[in-house]
Amino acid sequence: MIHELCPDDREGWQKLYQGYQAFYGFHDRPQEFYDKAFRRLMSEDARDFQGLVAEEDGQIVGLVHFVFHPNLWRDEGVCYLQDLFTAPAARGNGVGRALINAVYAAADAAGVPNVYWLTAEDNYAGRMLYDRVAAKSPFIRYNRKL
Amino acid sequence: MIHELCPDDREGWQKLYQGYQAFYGFHDRPQEFYDKAFRRLMSEDARDFQGLVAEEDGQIVGLVHFVFHPNLWRDEGVCYLQDLFTAPAARGNGVGRALINAVYAAADAAGVPNVYWLTAEDNYAGRMLYDRVAAKSPFIRYNRKL
Amino acid sequence: MIHELCPDDREGWQKLYQGYQAFYGFHDRPQEFYDKAFRRLMSEDARDFQGLVAEEDGQIVGLVHFVFHPNLWRDEGVCYLQDLFTAPAARGNGVGRALINAVYAAADAAGVPNVYWLTAEDNYAGRMLYDRVAAKSPFIRYNRKL
Amino acid sequence: MIHELCPDDREGWQKLYQGYQAFYGFHDRPQEFYDKAFRRLMSEDARDFQGLVAEEDGQIVGLVHFVFHPNLWRDEGVCYLQDLFTAPAARGNGVGRALINAVYAAADAAGVPNVYWLTAEDNYAGRMLYDRVAAKSPFIRYNRKL
């Protein structure tokens, strides 16, 4: 059900990633945004993003994107799960949980077991899942104002 | 007052970084932890951490560590400010603010203007400063349970 | 569908209120707890709690308890909605929303339009509703340690 | 140093309460607002608000207002501490802590030991104190939109 993102997933992946971007309010990303993201996910650069997708009946119904990056407190670095999305019609079937577990497995295989992600405080549906598979930290994010 | 961390700062830097680690409850980091961190901060690897320190009267009174890492939404990536600390005796003099501004300048010079950091929700003294130089996001962090 | 709690609701009300107390971890309230609460809800004291229930097919499927109390900033006081609960089997049908709206109407009738309640930060199912019918404030609660 | 608010405190109390109201963004409360509040604080109604003030060198430098109100879970009710303020010039001397402790003592004397208050999540200076004398709960406040 979960497999590494591959060239054949191009169309189904974009449709889903557009849904995810819309969830965060980005309804009009140019095509170039998706082209670049897919190209990076397909690259062999171990320092850039990797993608996994969930497939059901030949349809891409879930995606997850993650990257390994340095952390000064840990030699091996950490794994940042940036994007996670399940098609609305496929929710409640464990797709999100399976994708997170697949990232955990990939992180273990890479020798970088520490996986983290950020989510909006009011992403209630997401947090119902996250509270079961991970631990909420007391850390909040500040962004430079640009 | 702010300069790039350099070999001569080794002793003063460690004393300060120990204070920072203690703030987060890590009172007994082995010497190896500090040796490795300093070595990485001194390396020329543009993908690893960089350090800046604040000096007053020949003393290191503040430090900041940051790294550039990939972000799938932005070609140029983002700048993660992991550690920031001011010696207790030097607080209230704008050291923290100057260090953050120096990271902003370094990030601009690197073409990676988006700088972010995470802080404990109850780091009140820190947040008094952060609210002035940055914007609190609604994002919270989840960690894999290991 | 919504009506004021009345003596005939005694049995159905307790069953539901027990479910609510269990949600907050209180599984073993003595019978006396429910007896007293019901007696207070039935009293004519305008300064004590009032109750409303939602009925479907002759079953009590929702309850809400509220009280008016003084507020130094407002002559007319405020309305505190302490307890709100919908039977698990009846969720998703608008029972909670109808109960909150009924409290709003009762508060308006009493000339005390300001209604508020407290909820656990991670009561996701509740907050999905509350975000639609009310506004999250930035206020958090501190309790004396006893 | 702490005493019950009395008629002689009228002028000093208002000056301080104006500072508190301004802290929450209410810079232009009409005189009537302060007249009513003081009248209520002076009344003998045990169900309405009571006030305590801190005095230093003949000056009112702190105030606290609290009220007892019903709670369906507790026969004896609870004590709501609505307003707490220390004059900026008198901060750091334990005035706030002494006022909170005086409310605790008054609540104990009234047989209503459970004292609570609400504060803005980003009231950092206040929370530094509150974390020492009370426990942050996970409860957040929702308000009806009017």
Side-chain angles (χ1 to χ4, degrees), chain A residues 68 103-113:
Chain A
F68 299 104
V103 173
Y104 287 172
D108 284 338
V112 186

Side-chain angles (χ1 to χ4, degrees), chain C residues 25-141:
Chain C
F26 299 100
H27 297 275
D28 298 309
R29 297 282 200 194
Q31 180 56 37
E32 190 190 12
F33 176 85
Y34 297 99
D35 290 344
K36 274 191 193 165
F38 196 77
R39 203 155 50 231
R40 291 175 61 187
L41 290 160
M42 287 294 103
S43 89
E44 299 293 313
D45 184 350
R47 305 216 206 188
D48 208 341
F49 277 84
Q50 301 177 42
L52 299 171
V53 288
E55 197 174 318
E56 275 180 7
D57 303 326
Q59 294 267 56
I60 305 283
V61 296
L63 64 77
V64 67
H65 303 149
F66 59 100
V67 73
F68 299 105
H69 74 73
N71 182 291
L72 196 58
W73 299 24
R74 300 179 182 285
D75 277 354
E76 75 278 14
V78 292
C79 176
Y80 170 43
L81 189 166
Q82 184 171 7
D83 304 321
L84 176 69
F85 195 62
T86 300
R91 287 183 192 163
N93 303 329
V95 171
R97 180 191 285 257
L99 286 164
I100 290 171
N101 282 332
V103 173
Y104 287 173
D108 285 337
V112 186
N114 284 278
V115 180
Y116 76 94
W117 58 91
L118 302 173
T119 199
E121 189 271 335
D122 62 356
N123 177 10
Y124 307 130
R127 294 182 61 192
M128 283 181 194
L129 168 61
Y130 306 156
D131 283 349
R132 288 195 297 266
V133 299
K136 176 183 178 289
S137 83
F139 282 74
I140 60 177
R141 176 170 170 152

Side-chain angles (χ1 to χ4, degrees), chain D residues 120-131:
Chain D
E121 190 270 335
D122 62 355
N123 177 10
Y124 307 130
R127 293 183 61 191
M128 284 182 194
L129 168 60
Y130 306 156
D131 282 350

Side-chain angles (χ1 to χ4, degrees), chain A residues 13 17 20-21 24 26 29 33 36-38 40-41 45 47-49 65 67-78 80 82-83 103-105 107-108 112-122 127-128 130-146, chain B residues 13 17 20-21 24 26 29 33 36-38 40-41 45 47-49 65 67-78 80 82-83 103-105 107-108 112-122 127-128 130-146:
Chain A
W13 168 85
Y17 198 32
Y20 175 77
Q21 291 289 331
Y24 279 109
F26 299 100
R29 297 281 200 195
F33 176 85
K36 274 192 193 163
F38 196 77
R40 290 175 62 187
L41 289 161
D45 185 349
R47 304 216 207 189
D48 208 340
F49 277 84
H65 303 150
V67 73
F68 299 104
H69 73 73
N71 182 289
L72 196 58
W73 299 24
R74 299 180 182 284
D75 277 352
E76 74 278 15
V78 292
Y80 170 43
Q82 184 171 6
D83 304 321
V103 173
Y104 287 172
D108 284 338
V112 186
N114 284 278
V115 180
Y116 76 95
W117 58 91
L118 302 173
T119 199
E121 190 269 335
D122 62 355
R127 292 182 62 191
M128 283 182 193
Y130 306 156
D131 282 350
R132 288 195 297 266
V133 299
K136 176 183 178 287
S137 83
F139 282 74
I140 59 176
R141 177 170 170 153
Y142 274 85
N143 294 319
R144 178 185 187 182
K145 280 176 280 197
L146 287 173
Chain B
W13 168 86
Y17 198 33
Y20 174 77
Q21 291 288 332
Y24 278 109
F26 299 100
R29 297 282 201 196
F33 176 85
K36 275 191 193 163
F38 196 77
R40 290 175 62 186
L41 290 161
D45 185 350
R47 304 217 207 188
D48 208 341
F49 277 84
H65 302 149
V67 72
F68 298 105
H69 74 73
N71 182 291
L72 196 58
W73 300 23
R74 300 180 182 284
D75 278 353
E76 75 279 14
V78 292
Y80 170 43
Q82 183 170 9
D83 304 321
V103 173
Y104 287 173
D108 284 338
V112 185
N114 284 278
V115 180
Y116 76 94
W117 58 90
L118 302 172
T119 199
E121 189 270 336
D122 63 354
R127 293 182 62 191
M128 284 181 193
Y130 306 156
D131 283 350
R132 288 195 296 265
V133 299
K136 176 183 178 289
S137 82
F139 283 74
I140 60 176
R141 176 172 171 150
Y142 274 85
N143 294 318
R144 178 184 187 182
K145 280 177 279 196
L146 288 173

